Amino acid sequence: MPPHHGMDIKEAFQRAQKGHNNKAQLVASLGRYDELEDKTLFHEEFVHCLKYAMIVYKREPVVENIMEFVARFATSFLSPPKMEEGEEEEEEEDDAEDDHPFLSFLFNFLLESHKASSHAVRFRVCQLINKLLGSMAENAQIDDELFDRIHQAMLVRVTDKFPNVRIQAALAMTRLQQPKDPDCPTINAYMLILENDANAEVRRAVLSCIAMSPRTLPKVLKRTRDIKESVRKLAYQVLAEKVHIKALTIAQRVRLLQQGLHDTSEAVREVVCSRLLPAWLLRLDGNVTELLHRLDVENCAQTAMDTLQAVFRGATTEELLHNGVPLDNRKLVPVDSLSCENVLYWRALCEFIKAKGDDGEELLDQVLPDAASYADYLYGYLKAVPLLSEEQRADFNQLELVMTKEFISQQLIRLIGCLDTNEEGGRKRVLAVLQEMLALPQTPSSLVSLLTEKLLTLVADDSRRIQTVAEIISDVREPIMEASQPVDQNMSRRQQVQLAQVKVRILEAKQSLEDSIAAQDFSRAAVLKDSIAELENQRNQILQETTESCQPADKETGAEKSDPETLLRCIIMCAELLKQMSIKTRIGPTISALMSSLVLPSIANSHPAVRNMAVVCLGTCTLHSRELARTHMVLLLQIAQLDEVKIRISALRSIIDLLLLFGFQLLSEPGAQAAPQTQSPERPEGDAASAEERGGAPEDTAQSILVMLSDFLDSEVVDLRTETAEGLAKLMYTGRVSSAKLLSRLVLLWYNPVTEDDTRLRHCLGVFFQLYARKSRLHQEVVEEGFLPTVRTLMNAPATSPLAEVDINNVVELLVELTRPSALIKASTNTEEVCVHDYLAVRMCGEMLKDPTAPEVRLYAKTLSNLELSRGDTVRKDLLTLLQQLVQVVKDRICLRALEKMVHQLVDATEQAELLCASALQPLDVNADEAATDDQSKSAKRAKRGLRKASTAKGGRKASRRAESSEESDGENVPESVPVARLSRRAKTAALEKTKLDLNTLINKEPNVS
């Protein structure tokens, strides 16, 4: 090749480094390639210049420009196929393209270099292959053999040690996917990466390029629950852009919205609201009601409500009024048009407008009528809800129809909260309707709680609430019955005659009385007055008998109803009343009567639903009275152990609430006087109780409760186990219980593989551990006390136990992070104070000295270097003494290395402290500078060998996140820069120019000839 061609290549590479140069002109300047007869020299010169860029790992703009230029030049020989030509001509063109010598040469060179030992070369190889494949036309084709070679090479590189190499390899395989092939290696590799790759950026790269299919969709859906915010955000974006709403099941749609709208990250929630929901609505022609239909609102009403709120926030006023609810001139939805979707939309719209306050009053008047009109509308619909018999419930169609009507009724009842009830007449009408619906026997039990709740919100005073609910319960249990009585005509006529005779005698007596008074015959007048009184009493008696005999029907109180349906309705109303009452309201005579006549007898009822509500009602009632709580605690404890699972859980919740409110002192109070609320005894489960005396009452009750709760943690019933763990977490966080053993049990339960599918348990305990340990130093001491028992349990777990699968290192790391002094919300300002990690270090050293050959010695030795030790000299000297003893008895090399490292760290810290102290007390000696410098350099060398950077739990996590998510997260992390004063723009430009990479000096050098 003539020399000027080589100069052309060098010049093109030199100019390609500049971003402002036109890449198309540079490609055209090398367009003489096809005219060359011998292309070998061109290839060698081109690759020689390319290699200088391929050895640079950092994403320099100069190198990125060269990579872009090489990709454009290599693919410039592929002319786009002409669609109007025949198929034979297209095939000939494709063959010509596939066999282009330069493209084939470049691919061969890259594929031969992908196994290079330098990670920079591997990175650039994958990047260039990605750019080459991406620059080809959509319908471009390559040779099958070349396809297989690229495929195999990239499959190897997606398992590379460096994340950036894996990212480029995954992107390079984008066009190699075959979604219709069930055994496509690329898709298999993608799914494996999504599941197992530890780097978030690699997972994001795969998410961005994976093809959607029934196989890959579940994997993408799972990434919406990824630990990294950026991965979750991209997963929702991919689903919005690539997946039609009809491709998802109802459960998948609901789960996506439920998790996305409540994600802890604001960015993820924003993506769901601004990308996912609009994409779904666009595919449904903007029909919000149709979107609700796709979500099955009857089974996920709250998720549908959250979705509507998100839609409303991005809609205009006109869209809010005209998109969902078909209102008539009364501002009501016609009864015939009511459906689950539009009534939920109506409710969500009213609540959304109501939340705006005064700004939404005018708009609310356009979508909701006055209270009286709505009360009549609600009354008419509720009375039309049928009450099915047992035979009718067997018919699924009828049952489904009634369930739909009940759901609509629930939404209509909830709409009462949006009504303007300030007007007296409207509020009274709503109250009357609610009371009447509660008293009607055909009102479904599923509506009783909601009706009672809305009724109580309209009544402000607790005494009026109690009176109102008690009257309704009385009407329900003892309904007024009408009984007909036959009328005796003869008796009626006889009574009328007697009444007439008595009236005549009264008139005659009154006349005689007047005459006697006129004649001043007062003795006779007194006698006549007494006779008139007797005659009037006789007349009243005859009138009463006549009235009773003449009434065709008389209202009589029927017998008390005790069927399960009636009892359940009454107990639900009572429980709702107790929930709405203020906790400061004491139990009065009315509530006491309800407890004795309704609640307590129902606990022994044979119907499980009645028993369960009775337990709930009893537990809620005891919260209002310490005396009742102390009286019925034993009953609740018995129910928690003996009844059905659902009822046991209700009793357990009541017990936990009572202990949270009153404490364990409730169990030992001798009298009825309310004692001050104090904390429970520490050290339950066989440990010593608190030193306080409890009036001579035994402490066994508190111990037995904790033993019972501890046994529940081993229960095979998932709900009972979860409820117990949550209750113990509450008791420990509030300080009612302080136990290292219970904390150890909770940690083991959290890590136990048996609870892997119990999301609620895992989430609850995960939040509890962080909040509990960060709250106070006392809590950290409890965690520290439970450290060794937890490790011993895991180390001694038999092979058949699920705990044998737990990663002990992970557990130890968690406990160390929880006990870090810097993790406290209010950290101690005293740097000399002995911290929890000091005690933990001494405990671990003591364990290692007991048995230096035990398998956990290596774990303890490794953990010692991760502790944050205090700066106190006494603790460091004691710990140094223990470590020196360990170095003499431990034989394991790895343990010895870790212990020696710790010893050097403590020695260096002690020497530095002494040196600082000496320099502060002694006068400055200029002649001693050299000697001090030599000593410090030696000390620095030892510190470099043995010192481990101590970081806080929070700082450590942040640093790891930065390292993982950044592009240079592959082992070449640069230490964080120290903040400096802000530079001027000119200084910044000069500094930037100095740091720019220039490959011209390397390219111009003559290649080494070996």
Side-chain angles (χ1 to χ4, degrees):
M1 185 179 81
H4 69 273
H5 285 298
M7 291 301 296
D8 289 343
I9 294 174
K10 287 184 180 180
E11 184 181 356
F13 270 87
Q14 290 170 354
R15 293 176 59 190
Q17 299 178 55
K18 308 299 181 181
H20 61 270
N21 283 321
N22 192 330
K23 298 294 190 300
Q25 293 181 357
L26 295 177
V27 170
S29 67
L30 298 180
R32 304 174 184 175
Y33 176 82
D34 290 331
E35 302 174 2
L36 300 176
E37 295 181 1
D38 185 9
K39 299 179 175 55
T40 304
L41 294 177
F42 185 92
H43 292 169
E44 293 177 356
E45 184 68 19
F46 192 91
V47 168
H48 172 72
C49 295
L50 177 61
K51 285 181 178 179
Y52 289 110
M54 292 181 64
I55 61 175
V56 180
Y57 180 71
K58 192 175 180 181
R59 302 296 290 266
E60 294 282 353
V62 170
V63 181
E64 298 300 317
N65 290 333
I66 288 181
M67 293 292 119
E68 185 66 27
F69 162 70
V70 172
R72 294 188 65 172
F73 175 71
T75 56
S76 63
F77 303 104
L78 303 177
S79 58
K82 300 178 181 180
M83 301 303 296
E84 62 272 7
E85 295 181 357
E87 294 181 359
E88 295 181 0
E89 296 178 357
E90 289 183 359
E91 291 178 0
E92 291 176 0
E93 287 184 3
D94 292 339
D95 294 340
E97 291 173 358
D98 295 343
D99 297 333
H100 195 278
F102 182 77
L103 191 60
S104 300
F105 163 76
L106 187 58
F107 270 123
N108 290 333
F109 165 72
L110 294 175
L111 293 175
E112 290 172 358
S113 306
H114 86 91
K115 294 183 179 180
S117 59
S118 170
H119 62 279
V121 175
R122 300 197 302 272
F123 168 69
R124 294 300 176 182
V125 166
C126 295
Q127 182 191 28
L128 197 49
I129 291 178
N130 176 33
K131 288 183 176 294
L132 288 173
L133 295 176
S135 300
M136 295 182 179
E138 291 185 4
N139 51 1
Q141 297 181 0
I142 60 176
D143 185 67
D144 289 343
E145 182 180 355
L146 179 60
F147 177 92
D148 294 336
R149 291 180 61 197
I150 296 175
H151 206 177
Q152 294 300 323
M154 294 301 100
L155 286 175
V156 174
R157 293 279 68 81
V158 291
T159 60
D160 198 276
K161 176 182 177 181
F162 290 86
N164 283 341
V165 179
R166 301 200 298 273
I167 290 173
Q168 294 301 324
L171 295 175
M173 291 196 299
T174 303
R175 302 190 66 177
L176 306 181
Q177 300 177 80
Q178 297 176 356
K180 296 181 180 180
D181 183 6
D183 299 322
C184 176
T186 301
I187 291 181
N188 291 338
Y190 278 170
M191 292 192 297
L192 191 64
I193 291 172
L194 287 177
E195 288 285 341
N196 302 312
D197 200 293
N199 189 279
E201 294 301 317
V202 179
R203 300 196 298 272
R204 290 185 75 248
V206 173
L207 273 177
S208 64
C209 61
I210 190 171
M212 288 294 106
S213 68
R215 289 181 60 216
T216 59
L217 180 59
K219 303 298 182 182
V220 176
L221 289 173
K222 194 171 182 180
R223 287 308 99 205
T224 59
R225 302 187 296 277
D226 196 277
I227 191 174
K228 291 294 183 180
E229 169 191 334
S230 58
V231 180
R232 299 198 303 273
K233 180 179 176 182
L234 182 60
Y236 280 107
Q237 292 176 353
V238 170
L239 290 171
E241 296 169 1
K242 298 182 180 181
V243 181
H244 197 283
I245 185 173
K246 294 182 179 179
L248 301 169
T249 64
I250 292 177
Q252 289 172 341
R253 298 169 197 154
V254 172
R255 194 180 302 115
L256 280 176
L257 293 175
Q258 189 174 10
Q259 294 170 353
L261 293 173
H262 296 91
D263 197 278
T264 55
S265 168
E266 176 64 28
V268 177
R269 297 196 298 270
E270 181 62 26
V271 166
V272 175
C273 296
S274 62
R275 300 286 293 274
L276 185 65
L277 282 175
W280 284 2
L281 285 173
L282 182 64
R283 295 183 174 100
L284 298 174
D285 300 328
N287 192 334
V288 182
T289 307
E290 181 64 22
L291 175 62
L292 294 177
H293 182 69
R294 302 282 180 182
L295 297 179
D296 188 17
V297 296
E298 291 186 62
N299 298 316
C300 59
Q302 188 56 49
T303 302
M305 287 290 294
D306 296 337
T307 303
L308 288 172
Q309 296 292 329
V311 172
F312 292 157
R313 284 194 291 268
T316 62
T317 304
E318 291 74 13
E319 292 173 344
L320 291 177
L321 295 176
H322 302 293
N323 277 358
V325 185
L327 299 176
D328 56 15
N329 54 0
R330 300 175 301 164
K331 304 175 188 176
L332 295 169
V333 179
V335 175
D336 298 337
S337 303
L338 279 174
S339 66
C340 297
E341 289 77 22
N342 59 29
V343 73
L344 191 71
Y345 185 96
W346 191 19
R347 174 199 159 195
L349 178 61
C350 293
E351 291 183 358
F352 177 76
I353 299 173
K354 179 92 173 171
K356 293 184 177 181
D358 296 338
D359 298 336
E361 285 187 4
E362 183 178 352
L363 189 58
L364 188 61
D365 291 338
Q366 301 181 32
V367 295
L368 204 59
D370 60 278
S373 301
Y374 186 81
D376 295 335
Y377 173 77
L378 175 64
Y379 180 74
Y381 188 84
L382 293 181
K383 287 202 70 175
V385 177
L387 187 63
L388 297 182
S389 63
E390 292 297 331
E391 296 179 356
Q392 291 174 329
R393 288 181 178 274
D395 187 353
F396 181 77
N397 294 329
Q398 291 190 15
L399 182 61
E400 185 179 12
L401 179 62
V402 171
M403 291 176 65
T404 300
K405 287 183 175 293
E406 289 183 5
F407 178 82
I408 296 174
S409 301
Q410 291 175 0
Q411 308 311 313
L412 292 177
I413 295 170
R414 292 183 186 278
L415 260 174
I416 294 176
C418 299
L419 294 174
D420 183 9
T421 54
N422 294 325
E423 193 267 323
E424 185 69 19
R427 187 174 74 255
K428 285 185 176 180
R429 179 56 185 156
V430 175
L431 281 172
V433 168
L434 293 175
Q435 291 179 20
E436 186 172 355
M437 292 311 304
L438 284 171
L440 285 178
Q442 61 265 28
T443 302
S445 299
S446 59
L447 303 180
V448 172
S449 176
L450 201 54
L451 287 168
T452 309
E453 177 188 345
K454 294 303 176 184
L455 173 68
L456 296 176
T457 55
L458 296 176
V459 181
D461 185 46
D462 277 346
S463 59
R464 286 188 57 201
R465 289 177 174 178
I466 295 172
Q467 181 182 358
T468 303
V469 174
E471 291 175 355
I472 298 174
I473 291 176
S474 177
D475 292 340
V476 172
R477 291 203 72 187
E478 300 177 0
I480 303 301
M481 306 295 293
E482 293 184 353
S484 299
Q485 292 181 353
V487 179
D488 190 351
Q489 297 295 336
N490 295 330
M491 179 64 69
S492 177
R493 191 177 298 109
R494 192 181 304 114
Q495 288 174 348
Q496 290 177 2
V497 172
Q498 291 176 355
L499 181 62
Q501 292 176 353
V502 171
K503 286 181 178 180
V504 171
R505 291 172 64 186
I506 290 175
L507 291 175
E508 292 175 351
K510 286 183 177 180
Q511 186 63 37
S512 300
L513 177 63
E514 292 177 359
D515 294 342
S516 300
I517 293 174
Q520 296 185 356
D521 188 358
F522 296 109
S523 60
R524 186 170 182 270
V527 174
L528 288 173
K529 187 176 180 181
D530 292 338
S531 63
I532 290 173
E534 292 178 359
L535 290 172
E536 286 181 347
N537 290 334
Q538 188 177 357
R539 183 192 61 181
N540 293 336
Q541 185 178 358
I542 295 173
L543 285 173
Q544 184 178 358
E545 293 176 357
T546 304
T547 303
E548 292 177 357
S549 61
C550 291
Q551 278 185 347
D554 188 15
K555 293 187 178 180
E556 296 180 355
T557 302
E560 186 177 75
K561 299 174 67 175
S562 59
D563 57 288
E565 291 76 11
T566 303
L567 290 176
L568 183 60
R569 289 159 58 87
C570 295
I571 296 175
I572 289 174
M573 285 188 278
C574 185
E576 195 62 40
L577 170 65
L578 292 169
K579 289 179 185 177
Q580 297 291 334
M581 283 171 51
S582 172
I583 194 67
K584 297 180 181 180
T585 303
R586 295 304 175 187
I587 300 299
T590 306
I591 296 294
S592 299
L594 288 174
M595 289 292 296
S596 60
S597 63
L598 176 65
V599 177
L600 292 176
S602 299
I603 289 181
N605 194 282
S606 60
H607 200 276
V610 176
R611 290 204 310 276
N612 183 52
M613 282 308 303
V615 170
V616 172
C617 196
L618 176 62
T620 311
C621 186
T622 52
L623 294 175
H624 294 266
S625 171
R626 183 185 290 267
E627 181 65 31
L628 276 178
R630 186 167 53 252
T631 303
H632 297 294
M633 174 62 86
V634 177
L635 176 60
L636 292 173
L637 289 171
Q638 292 175 349
I639 296 173
Q641 299 178 74
L642 301 176
D643 215 316
E644 294 185 5
V645 173
K646 186 176 181 181
I647 305 173
R648 292 173 64 190
I649 292 175
S650 299
L652 178 62
R653 289 174 180 169
S654 301
I655 294 169
I656 296 296
D657 290 341
L658 290 175
L659 294 177
L660 287 172
L661 183 61
F662 300 120
F664 282 82
Q665 294 286 29
L666 174 71
L667 306 172
S668 56
E669 291 174 357
Q673 290 149 0
Q677 296 184 12
T678 56
Q679 293 187 355
S680 71
E682 295 189 359
R683 315 289 194 278
E685 280 192 72
D687 292 346
S690 64
E692 299 181 14
E693 294 184 359
R694 299 176 225 264
E699 301 172 353
D700 294 340
T701 307
Q703 301 291 340
S704 61
I705 291 177
L706 293 173
V707 170
M708 179 193 74
L709 296 178
S710 180
D711 292 339
F712 285 171
L713 292 178
D714 297 326
S715 174
E716 296 181 357
V717 182
V718 176
D719 294 337
L720 183 63
R721 182 180 62 205
T722 303
E723 200 67 43
T724 304
E726 184 176 341
L728 286 172
K730 292 177 182 178
L731 290 171
M732 296 187 69
Y733 182 75
T734 56
R736 295 298 187 186
V737 175
S738 179
S739 170
K741 289 184 178 180
L742 281 179
L743 183 69
S744 176
R745 290 289 305 277
L746 293 179
V747 171
L748 295 173
L749 186 65
W750 194 47
Y751 276 100
N752 198 323
V754 174
T755 64
E756 184 176 2
D757 297 330
D758 194 348
T759 307
R760 180 186 165 197
L761 174 68
R762 290 288 180 99
H763 178 73
C764 170
L765 293 180
V767 174
F768 161 70
F769 291 141
Q770 295 292 335
L771 296 178
Y772 179 77
R774 295 180 61 198
K775 186 178 181 182
S776 70
R777 176 189 164 90
L778 293 176
H779 291 178
Q780 285 192 336
E781 291 177 358
V782 174
V783 178
E784 179 263 332
E785 188 179 347
F787 179 88
L788 291 179
T790 305
V791 174
R792 289 195 200 104
T793 304
L794 292 174
M795 294 297 295
N796 299 329
T800 56
S801 172
L803 293 177
E805 304 175 14
V806 177
D807 184 3
I808 302 180
N809 293 316
N810 196 311
V811 179
V812 170
E813 288 175 7
L814 170 69
L815 297 177
V816 169
E817 295 297 330
L818 292 179
T819 51
R820 285 192 184 279
S822 54
L824 288 172
I825 296 177
K826 294 182 179 180
S828 175
T829 56
N830 185 7
T831 57
E832 300 297 329
E833 181 184 7
V834 179
C835 64
V836 177
H837 274 188
D838 296 336
Y839 295 119
L840 187 59
V842 173
R843 281 177 179 268
M844 287 191 289
C845 290
E847 283 294 310
M848 288 188 284
L849 285 172
K850 287 181 182 179
D851 186 4
T853 61
E856 60 266 24
V857 170
R858 181 177 294 185
L859 177 65
Y860 292 147
K862 177 184 175 183
T863 307
L864 282 174
S865 59
N866 296 332
L867 301 180
E868 286 184 16
L869 302 177
S870 62
R871 300 179 182 179
D873 293 338
T874 305
V875 176
R876 289 183 176 272
K877 290 179 180 178
D878 294 342
L879 189 57
L880 185 59
T881 303
L882 291 173
L883 290 173
Q884 291 172 347
Q885 295 178 10
L886 283 171
V887 170
Q888 298 175 0
V889 296
V890 173
K891 304 301 180 183
D892 186 77
R893 291 184 179 180
I894 298 178
C895 296
L896 278 175
R897 195 178 301 120
L899 293 173
E900 290 173 354
K901 178 181 176 181
M902 194 70 185
V903 170
H904 289 311
Q905 180 180 347
L906 291 175
V907 170
D908 293 339
T910 305
E911 290 179 356
Q912 290 177 6
E914 292 175 354
L915 184 62
L916 289 174
C917 182
S919 62
L921 297 176
Q922 295 178 0
L924 180 64
D925 187 1
V926 179
N927 297 325
D929 284 348
E930 292 184 5
T933 304
D934 293 340
D935 293 340
Q936 289 179 3
S937 63
K938 294 178 181 179
S939 175
K941 289 180 181 180
R942 287 196 302 270
K944 187 175 181 180
R945 182 175 63 251
L947 184 61
R948 181 186 184 275
K949 181 181 178 182
S951 63
T952 65
K954 189 173 181 181
R957 284 196 298 272
K958 286 186 177 180
S960 64
R961 287 177 183 173
R962 283 194 296 268
E964 183 175 318
S965 60
S966 65
E967 289 187 322
E968 306 303 324
S969 59
D970 44 15
E972 298 186 1
N973 297 321
V974 181
E976 295 183 11
S977 60
V978 180
V980 295
R982 185 172 181 177
L983 300 176
S984 64
R985 181 175 299 178
R986 181 175 298 177
K988 288 181 180 179
T989 305
L992 186 62
E993 290 295 331
K994 291 180 180 179
T995 59
K996 282 186 176 180
L997 182 65
D998 189 2
L999 298 179
N1000 291 338
T1001 55
L1002 296 175
I1003 293 176
N1004 290 330
K1005 288 183 179 180
E1006 291 295 332
N1008 294 328
V1009 180
S1010 56

